[in-house]
């Protein structure tokens, strides 16, 4: 483990210094110094080279803290040099560059004393940095008329969207999406990105946002989140805009989309609608996909690999409708509300292969599955913010969610021992689930009379109600094709109700100590109550039907108290936060009317955060925290769950909390002169009294899962990414690397088993710089997983996935656009000796009837080679699994898109 840790650290540190050295080596070409009328140097001033012919962007840089700028590797020719900054009159100079150094000396910007309405003098700069914000201009990316925000983000360096819909910026998860600084559809990234048009956006801002308390008081508290803010183009403000599109094709494929928006300085209004049967979602449906075609009901099964996301397979029908209304009563006082409805129906077939092993026996399992899953989701959000008073702020958030989920599964399972069929397990299951959730959060922050002194208090409540009815029939045939063959049929009905209430209260007080030092006293109190009601009737079908009734009420009550004494130090370059926390956890759980199990544990948790920003575009962050992971109710339950006759779950009421030390290091560097971007993140977790799984597999293939505290758990996650523009070649290259190491114990048939998993991913991309007419991209991704088990080395698993891709998006004249993408996937897996090569080829041709591209006719060719297959893998405590599912396959669609209110504004 230490070898792996030091190897990963070395790679990250070496890459940082190596590429920092490369980006620092540049020759001077066009240079100068920008100063104010008072001869003060001006930092972060945009310096842009424009074409003399049409004033289009050619190259750019920004001034440093001394006001100096340099543009290297410019081509010989005539240009317009534009120097601009907010609050100053833009300066223009016609220049002729011969290839030799051109130094302008001091260039003075005059302060702007009035504002020209409707006129923008500042040239478009591809990337700018303002304090904790990195802003990308969308004019430097090729945006097609029907692109949504998700497609736009995929074009921006350093941003990536995972297959589960999560957005990552420079290695950090984006927690919120905003439009012009205001939340949109509850800030849910998936809804915003999948339903709003990209051509309405002027800039994409990545913001390292302080907590609401820090924004009010100016005192760092160690809490930050990464948010993305989309700023609208001026032509879209105070003017309704949107799109309506529809398409139909072969095999009854269709889609329809609608979005209309009107944003003013005070009011937001948006409506969205979507319907299709071509596997396009309108929100994050990851929870809907979990175990949609899986082998069994291991909903809580923890994987040991980094690839945990379930991809969409089969056939998906989607219907989406939503409305968002927001109003700003006065500056920094606003109310925002939205309603969102999502209907999803996913059906298909799959084949799952599983190798299960223990110290007693190993066996293979193959399952063919048909599934139909439907979900109707209603979501209401309310968000009230009042920051109009400079001395206090109030934030209220409310949410109501309703889910109606129906799942049908027809699974034919076969168990093999030494390649001989031994047992059949045919299962027909119908599950109806009704879930209701309500959340309310209230936070109040108050600055007191003495500068730096403040208090904050918050209340957060959550109430969840779930009713599930499971009706299943299981036919089990044991000792197949032998004289002792036996058949057993089970009918099981299980009604389960679960109600959860959570109340959290916090109080914080900050006292200035002088010299940018602050003392903080923080208190957190929470109460969580889980109440479960179960009625289960299991009937064995025979000459005399035998019924087994299981009926109980179960309560789990947890009280958590945390008191924290902290110190913070805040300057422009350095922010520190250190604290010592005392935590008391009291748990009471058990069957109602029986003696409850009671535990009371006290913990001491140190924590520290240091952030260093030496100059604009560079940020380094260190974080350490000791966390306590309490046993989940399912892990400590005193009741046995035998709903699945081949997968029985037992809790352990004697479990104690897992104590985890978490260390995180990160670095982000942006250099505008060389267009160099670098980010890395290293996270290491070490857990004591680790909660591990204990698995027992008997001769009838019945798997009994329980939990124990045993030994340690280690996890290392490292990411690295960098990109740079090569001006002389007109291209940009980018690389991304991710490493994941996980080591923990498990108990298999009473024998200790050390499970070690190592994941490695590397990807490289090459693309052109000037995307005004053509967008070209090509690259490759290679990922490998190695999983080993100490109880049987012969079962060590290695599987790989290679992806090679290319994309071309070009305008053939002013009205015709052609887009094509080709992907080639190679899957290998030594556990199943499976090797799959899957080529995927998509193409579109569109024709715009007007210069504004407000009417577009498009022809789509999807999966031209008709390779309708999807592969999903996982490695768990004592089995490997590979699932192959059918996917949509080849289809063609003709579509029409019309922009709403697309005419340019007059005046």
């Amino acid at each position: 483990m230490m070898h792996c840790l030091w190897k990963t650290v070395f790679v990250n540190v070496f890459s940082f210094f190596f590429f920092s050295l490369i980006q620092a080596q540049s020759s001077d070409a066009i240079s100068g110094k920008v100063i104010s009328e008072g001869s003060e140097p001006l930092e972060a001033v945009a310096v842009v080279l424009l074409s003399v012919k049409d004033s289009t962007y050619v190259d750019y840089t920004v001034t440093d803290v001394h006001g100096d700028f340099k543009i290297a590797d410019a081509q010989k020719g005539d240009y317009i040099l534009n120097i601009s900054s907010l609050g100053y009159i833009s300066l223009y100079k016609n220049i002729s560059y011969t290839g030799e150094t051109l130094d302008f000396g001091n260039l003075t910007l005059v302060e702007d004393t009035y504002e020209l309405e409707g006129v923008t003098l500042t040239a478009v700069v591809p990337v700018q940095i303002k304090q904790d914000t990195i802003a990308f201009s969308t004019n430097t990316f090729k945006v097609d008329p029907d692109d949504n925000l998700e497609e736009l983000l995929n074009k921006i360096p350093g941003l990536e969207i995972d297959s589960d819909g999560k957005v990552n910026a420079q290695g950090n998860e984006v927690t919120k999406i905003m439009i012009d600084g205001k939340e949109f559809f509850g800030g849910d990234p998936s809804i915003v990105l999948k339903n709003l048009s990209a051509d309405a956006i002027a800039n994409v801002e990545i913001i390292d946002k302080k907590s609401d308390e820090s924004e009010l008081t100016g005192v760092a508290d160690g809490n930050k989140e990464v948010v993305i803010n989309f700023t609208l183009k001026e032509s879209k403000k105070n003017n309704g805009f949107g799109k309506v599109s529809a398409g139909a094709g072969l095999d009854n494929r269709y889609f329809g989309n609608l979005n209309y928006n009107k944003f003013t300085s005070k009011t937001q209004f948006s409506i969205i609608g979507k319907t299709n049967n071509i596997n396009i979602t309108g929100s994050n449906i990851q929870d809907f996909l979990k175990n949609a075609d899986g082998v069994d009901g291991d909903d809580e099964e923890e994987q040991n690999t980094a690839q945990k996301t379930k991809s969409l397979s089969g056939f998906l029908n989607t219907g989406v409708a939503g409305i968002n209304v927001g109003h700003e009563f006065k500056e920094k006082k606003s109310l925002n509300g939205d309603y969102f409805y999502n209907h999803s129906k996913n059906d298909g077939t799959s084949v799952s292969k599983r190798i299960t092993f223990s110290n007693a026996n190993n066996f293979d399992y193959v399952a063919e599955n048909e599934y139909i899953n439907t979900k109707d989701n209603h979501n209401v959000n309310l968000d009230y913010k009042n920051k109009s008073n400079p001395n206090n702020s109030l934030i209220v958030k409310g949410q109501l969610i309703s889910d109606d989920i129906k799942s049908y599964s027809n699974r034919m399972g076969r168990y093999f021992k030494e390649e001989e069929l031994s047992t059949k397990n045919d299962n027909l299951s119908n599950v109806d689930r009704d879930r209701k959730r309500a959340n309310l959060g209230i936070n109040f922050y108050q600055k007191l009379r003495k500068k730096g002194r403040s208090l904050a208090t918050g209340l957060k409540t959550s109430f969840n109600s779930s009713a599930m009815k499971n009706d299943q029939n299981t036919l089990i045939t044991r000792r197949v094709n032998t004289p002792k063959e036996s058949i057993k049929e089970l009918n099981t009905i299980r009604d389960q109700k679960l109600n959860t209430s959570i109340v959290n209260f916090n109080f914080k007080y900050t006292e200035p100590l002088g010299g940018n030092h602050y003392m903080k006293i923080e208190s957190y109190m929470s109460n969580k109550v889980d109440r479960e009601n179960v009625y289960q009737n299991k009937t064995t079908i025979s000459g005399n039907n035998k019924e087994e009734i299981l009926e109980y009420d179960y309560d789990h009550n947890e009280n958590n108290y945390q008191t924290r004494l902290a110190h913070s130090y805040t300057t422009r370059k350095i922010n520190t936060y250190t604290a010592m926390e005392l935590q008391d956890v009291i748990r009471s759980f058990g069957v109602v009317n029986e003696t409850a199990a009671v535990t009371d544990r006290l913990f001491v948790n140190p924590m520290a955060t240091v952030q260093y920003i030496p100059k604009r575009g560079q940020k380094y962050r260190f974080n350490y925290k000791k966390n306590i992971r309490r046993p989940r109710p399912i892990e400590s339950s005193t009741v046995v769950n035998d709903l699945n006759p081949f997968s029985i779950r037992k809790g352990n009421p004697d479990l104690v909390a897992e104590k985890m030390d978490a260390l995180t290091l990160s670095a982000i560097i942006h250099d505008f002169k060389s267009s160099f971007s670098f980010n890395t993140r290293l996270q290491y977790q070490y857990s004591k009294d680790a909660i591990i799984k204990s698995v027992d597999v008997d001769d009838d293939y019945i798997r009994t899962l329980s939990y124990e505290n045993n030994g340690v758990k280690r996890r290392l996650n490292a990411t690295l990414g960098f990109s740079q523009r090569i001006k002389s070649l007109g291209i940009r290259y980018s690389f991304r690397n991710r490493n994941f190491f996980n080591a923990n114990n498990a108990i298999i048939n009473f024998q200790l088993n050390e499970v070690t998993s190592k994941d490695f991913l590397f990807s490289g991309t090459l693309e052109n710089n000037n995307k005004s007419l053509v967008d070209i991209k090509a690259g490759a991704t290679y990922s490998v997983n190695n999983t080993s088990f100490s109880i049987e080395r012969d079962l060590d698993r290695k599987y790989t996935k290679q992806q090679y891709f290319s994309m071309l998006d070009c305008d053939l004249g002013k009205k015709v656009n052609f887009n094509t993408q080709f992907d080639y996937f190679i899957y290998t897996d030594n556990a199943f000796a499976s090797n799959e090569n899957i080529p995927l080829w998509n193409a579109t041709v569109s024709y715009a009837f007007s210069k504004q591209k407000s009417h577009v006719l498009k022809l789509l060719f999807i999966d031209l080679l008709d390779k309708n297959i999807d592969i999903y893998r996982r490695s768990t405590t004592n089995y490997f699994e590979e699932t192959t599912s059918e996917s949509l396959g080849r289809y063609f669609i003709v579509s029409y898109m019309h922009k709403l209110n697309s005419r340019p504004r007059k005046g």
Side-chain angles (χ1 to χ4, degrees):
M1 171 62 191
M2 290 305 297
H3 173 73
C4 179
L5 173 62
W6 285 112
K7 182 179 178 181
T8 302
V9 172
F10 173 77
V11 170
N12 280 264
V13 173
F14 174 79
S15 299
F16 166 69
F17 285 109
F18 178 74
F19 291 105
S20 295
L21 180 63
I22 290 179
Q23 58 91 18
Q25 296 174 347
S26 61
S27 59
D28 298 350
I30 301 173
S31 62
K33 183 185 186 73
V34 181
I35 61 175
S36 67
E37 293 175 281
S39 299
E40 293 294 328
L42 296 178
E43 184 185 6
V45 174
V47 182
V48 186
L49 279 184
L50 303 175
S51 168
V52 173
K53 181 180 179 181
D54 54 10
S55 296
T56 57
Y57 154 81
V58 177
D59 204 347
Y60 82 101
T61 188
V62 294
T63 59
D64 59 21
V65 68
H66 303 294
D68 296 324
F69 69 87
K70 297 173 185 176
I71 298 179
D73 303 323
Q75 299 296 316
K76 296 179 182 179
D78 295 330
Y79 301 101
I80 300 172
L81 182 68
N82 169 227
I83 302 174
S84 55
S85 182
L86 186 65
Y88 293 88
I89 298 175
S90 294
L91 177 65
Y92 293 88
K93 279 184 174 292
N94 290 307
I95 66 172
S96 292
Y97 178 60
T98 62
E100 298 181 357
T101 300
L102 182 60
D103 189 353
F104 284 96
N106 292 337
L107 297 170
T108 303
L109 284 187
V110 178
E111 194 169 349
D112 195 356
T113 56
Y114 62 93
E115 188 174 323
L116 296 177
E117 185 177 2
V119 178
T120 300
L121 297 178
T122 303
V124 174
V125 180
V127 185
Q128 293 189 74
I129 281 193
K130 301 175 183 178
Q131 297 178 350
D132 288 335
T133 301
I134 303 172
F136 295 87
S137 170
T138 59
N139 283 349
T140 58
F141 303 99
K142 192 175 188 305
V143 179
D144 293 327
D146 57 350
D147 281 352
N148 58 29
L149 295 185
E150 188 173 61
E151 291 161 319
L152 172 61
L153 288 190
N154 279 321
K155 300 177 181 181
I156 296 178
L159 284 177
E160 58 179 297
I161 302 176
D162 294 340
S163 53
D164 62 353
K166 292 181 180 178
V167 183
N168 290 282
Q170 286 88 40
N172 296 296
E173 183 180 346
V174 175
T175 58
K176 191 180 299 181
I177 300 286
M178 298 186 294
I179 306 294
D180 272 350
K182 301 179 178 65
E183 289 194 18
F184 189 75
F185 280 101
D188 186 330
S190 58
I191 296 176
V192 181
L193 298 181
K194 294 177 184 294
N195 295 284
L196 198 64
S197 301
D199 63 357
I201 303 303
N203 293 287
V204 180
E205 298 177 343
I206 303 171
I207 304 171
D208 196 4
K209 183 181 179 299
K210 298 177 182 178
S211 68
D212 293 312
E213 180 184 359
S214 291
E215 288 181 347
L216 176 71
T217 64
V219 180
D221 59 2
N223 297 317
K224 283 199 172 188
E225 59 179 344
V226 178
V227 304
I228 289 181
N229 179 50
F230 294 97
T231 62
L232 292 172
K233 294 179 178 177
E234 288 297 325
S235 61
K236 303 300 181 182
K237 297 179 180 179
N238 302 309
N239 189 34
F241 66 93
K243 293 176 184 175
V244 59
S245 61
L250 302 179
D251 299 326
N252 297 317
R253 299 297 166 204
Y254 67 87
F255 77 87
N257 298 322
L258 165 69
N259 73 76
Y260 178 80
N261 313 273
K262 188 165 185 179
F263 297 90
T264 70
S265 59
K266 295 293 184 182
T267 304
Q268 283 182 311
F269 175 77
S270 298
I271 57 173
I272 58 175
K274 178 179 291 186
T275 180
N276 69 80
N277 64 354
I278 54 174
N279 288 22
I280 296 178
T281 65
S283 63
N284 188 358
I285 61 170
Q286 195 53 221
D287 63 331
F288 176 60
L289 297 177
K290 288 180 180 178
N291 299 302
D293 57 353
V295 170
D296 56 28
D298 290 338
D299 294 340
E300 297 294 329
E301 185 68 71
E302 179 181 336
Q303 298 186 96
N304 295 297
T305 64
Q307 290 84 8
K308 297 184 179 181
T309 302
K310 188 76 165 63
S311 60
L312 174 64
S313 58
F315 305 91
L316 178 70
N317 289 31
T318 298
V320 166
I323 181 171
N324 182 93
V325 179
H327 181 71
E328 188 175 49
F329 301 99
K330 60 180 180 179
E331 187 177 0
K332 296 186 178 182
K333 181 180 179 181
S334 62
L335 177 66
N336 190 84
D338 64 79
Y339 166 76
F340 185 78
Y341 168 75
N342 185 17
H343 168 79
S344 301
K345 179 184 178 183
N346 183 220
D347 63 276
T349 62
S350 66
V351 176
S352 294
K353 301 175 184 178
R354 177 181 288 186
I355 298 176
T356 302
F357 48 91
S358 69
N359 59 342
N361 52 34
N362 303 324
F363 58 88
D364 297 336
Y365 177 74
V366 178
E368 297 180 6
N369 189 37
E370 298 178 7
Y371 58 91
I372 303 174
N373 301 286
T374 62
K375 177 180 178 180
D376 289 283
N377 167 263
H378 301 268
N379 194 324
V380 177
N381 292 284
L382 286 174
D383 181 15
Y384 173 77
K385 292 182 179 179
N386 188 351
K387 299 182 179 180
S388 58
N389 189 320
N391 294 318
N392 59 59
S393 61
L394 175 66
I395 299 173
V396 181
K397 291 180 178 288
Q399 184 180 54
L400 296 173
I401 301 175
S402 174
D403 291 326
D404 182 15
I405 304 173
K406 292 180 172 58
S407 301
Y408 164 84
S409 172
N410 184 7
R411 184 173 63 248
M412 294 178 291
R414 301 293 182 263
Y415 292 87
F416 297 85
K417 190 167 186 178
E418 297 179 354
E419 300 185 357
E420 293 290 332
L421 179 62
S422 175
T423 297
K424 298 180 181 179
N425 173 28
D426 298 330
N427 180 272
L428 184 66
S429 172
N430 286 282
V431 179
D432 289 345
R433 184 178 303 162
D434 181 29
R435 297 189 304 194
K436 301 286 190 298
R437 286 169 283 176
N439 304 312
L440 177 65
I442 303 173
N443 288 285
F444 178 76
Y445 309 96
Q446 177 69 52
K447 290 172 64 175
L448 301 178
R449 181 171 298 179
K450 184 177 180 180
K451 184 178 179 180
R453 180 181 293 169
S454 66
L455 61 85
T457 184
L459 175 68
K460 185 175 181 180
T461 61
S462 175
F463 301 95
N464 302 332
S465 174
S466 173
M468 182 171 64
K469 183 175 182 180
N470 193 320
D471 187 352
Q472 67 179 24
N473 176 270
T474 306
L475 184 65
I476 304 171
T477 305
R478 301 190 187 279
R479 293 175 286 277
V480 176
N481 299 327
T482 70
K484 295 183 179 181
E485 180 176 295
S486 64
I487 299 177
K488 182 179 181 180
E489 184 176 3
L490 299 173
N491 279 338
T492 305
I493 297 176
R494 183 182 176 98
D495 290 333
Q496 180 177 357
K497 295 183 177 67
L498 178 62
N499 294 301
T500 300
S501 64
I502 303 174
V503 179
N504 294 302
F505 176 79
N506 66 76
F507 176 82
K508 304 176 185 178
Y509 175 78
T510 302
E511 177 67 26
L513 302 176
N516 299 317
H517 293 271
Y518 301 86
M519 180 185 69
K520 302 173 74 72
I521 299 175
E522 306 174 14
S523 179
Y524 305 84
M525 293 171 281
S526 68
N527 171 256
K528 180 183 179 183
V529 178
D530 294 291
R531 289 193 169 90
E532 183 183 24
N533 173 266
V534 172
Y535 173 83
Q536 178 176 297
N537 186 332
K538 182 182 292 187
T539 303
T540 303
I541 307 299
S542 59
N544 296 317
N545 290 348
K546 178 183 177 183
E547 288 188 349
E548 298 179 39
I549 305 295
L550 174 66
E551 187 174 9
Y552 65 87
D553 291 319
Y554 189 89
D555 283 358
H556 184 281
N557 195 318
E558 180 180 280
N559 291 295
N560 181 51
Y561 306 96
Q562 295 165 264
T563 301
R564 187 181 301 174
L565 180 63
H567 168 268
S568 112
Y569 175 73
T570 304
T571 65
R572 189 177 65 87
K573 291 187 175 182
I574 298 177
N575 294 320
T576 68
Y577 176 88
T578 57
M580 188 65 70
E581 177 183 86
L582 189 64
Q583 181 177 9
D584 186 17
V585 181
I586 304 172
R587 300 169 63 237
S588 172
F589 52 93
V591 175
V592 176
N593 297 326
E594 295 183 5
T595 303
V598 179
T599 64
D600 189 347
R601 298 287 188 272
L602 193 64
F603 306 95
V604 178
N605 307 322
M607 61 194 70
T609 299
V610 179
Q611 179 172 278
Y612 176 53
I613 307 176
K615 63 179 182 178
R616 189 180 302 271
Q618 293 187 13
K619 183 189 301 179
Y620 307 93
R621 188 176 176 88
F622 162 86
N623 179 266
Y624 165 78
K625 187 176 182 181
K626 182 177 180 181
N627 295 303
I628 302 300
R629 187 181 89 77
R630 289 94 72 185
R632 295 190 289 263
I634 195 172
E635 296 171 337
S636 58
S637 175
T638 60
V639 180
V640 176
N641 185 340
D642 64 349
L643 175 64
N644 185 336
F646 281 86
S647 182
I648 298 172
R649 189 182 299 273
K650 297 167 59 178
N652 179 2
D654 296 324
L655 286 178
V656 299
E658 185 177 293
K659 295 172 280 294
M660 181 179 70
D661 294 289
L663 177 68
T664 304
L665 298 169
S666 65
I668 298 174
I669 299 173
H670 289 276
D671 186 273
F672 297 99
K673 297 179 179 61
S674 60
S675 299
F676 173 81
S677 175
F678 173 89
N679 68 85
T680 184
R681 189 170 188 266
L682 180 70
Q683 185 178 49
Y684 177 65
Q685 297 175 349
Y686 182 86
S687 300
K688 298 179 181 178
D689 292 328
I691 298 175
I692 67 170
K693 296 177 177 63
S694 176
V695 181
D696 176 62
V697 183
D698 65 17
D699 293 335
D700 289 327
Y701 310 110
I702 297 174
R703 183 174 183 262
T704 302
L705 174 65
S706 186
Y707 305 89
E708 292 188 15
N709 291 107
N710 189 295
V712 300
K713 183 187 298 182
R714 294 163 294 168
R715 177 168 293 186
L716 175 67
N717 196 342
T719 61
L720 181 148
F722 60 87
S723 66
Q724 187 169 23
R725 196 164 46 119
I726 304 177
K727 298 180 184 179
S728 59
L729 300 179
I731 61 174
R732 172 182 287 274
Y733 67 87
S734 60
F735 294 97
R736 180 167 58 95
N737 170 248
R738 183 173 70 235
N739 301 281
F740 177 82
F741 176 90
N742 185 72
N744 62 278
N745 294 330
I747 297 176
I748 310 297
N749 281 17
F750 309 106
Q751 181 177 343
L752 189 65
N753 173 37
E754 183 178 10
V755 184
T756 303
S757 179
K758 300 176 184 178
D759 288 88
F760 172 83
L761 181 146
F762 179 84
S763 69
T765 304
L766 196 65
E767 58 188 302
N768 64 313
N769 272 330
N770 189 348
K771 299 179 182 292
S772 58
L773 295 177
V774 180
D775 189 356
I776 303 174
K777 183 182 294 185
T781 299
Y782 175 80
S783 63
V784 59
N785 167 262
N786 290 277
T787 305
S788 60
F789 304 84
S790 61
I791 62 173
E792 193 160 346
R793 293 293 182 184
D794 292 340
L795 286 170
D796 290 356
R797 183 189 195 186
K798 177 181 179 180
Y799 63 78
T800 66
K801 176 183 177 182
Q802 301 174 56
Q803 178 186 4
Y804 303 92
F805 59 90
S806 61
M807 186 274 292
L808 170 66
D809 184 352
C810 63
D811 293 331
L812 306 177
K814 295 183 178 181
K815 295 186 176 183
V816 179
N817 175 266
F818 174 73
N819 184 302
T820 183
Q821 180 168 335
F822 183 79
D823 296 81
Y824 192 81
F825 297 90
I826 302 175
Y827 296 89
T828 63
D829 192 335
N830 70 334
F832 298 100
S834 62
N835 296 286
E836 291 281 354
N837 298 341
I838 304 175
L840 294 176
W841 183 21
N842 302 326
T844 65
V845 179
S846 63
Y847 178 81
F849 291 93
S850 63
K851 292 183 179 180
Q852 289 78 28
K853 297 184 179 181
S854 56
H855 303 271
V856 178
L857 186 68
K858 178 178 284 191
L859 181 61
L860 298 91
F861 306 90
I862 305 299
D863 194 7
L864 284 164
L865 304 178
D866 200 23
K867 297 293 183 179
N868 58 336
I869 189 173
D870 181 71
I871 296 176
Y872 172 69
R873 296 158 165 170
R874 61 174 175 169
S875 297
T876 63
T877 304
N878 77 315
Y879 66 78
F880 302 135
E881 185 178 281
E882 179 179 82
T883 299
T884 304
S885 307
E886 64 175 342
S887 61
L888 199 56
R890 179 169 54 203
Y891 66 90
F892 307 144
I893 281 185
V894 177
S895 70
Y896 171 77
M897 185 274 293
H898 170 61
K899 290 185 181 180
L900 305 175
N901 287 4
S902 60
R903 289 174 296 181
R905 298 171 61 193
K906 297 180 180 181

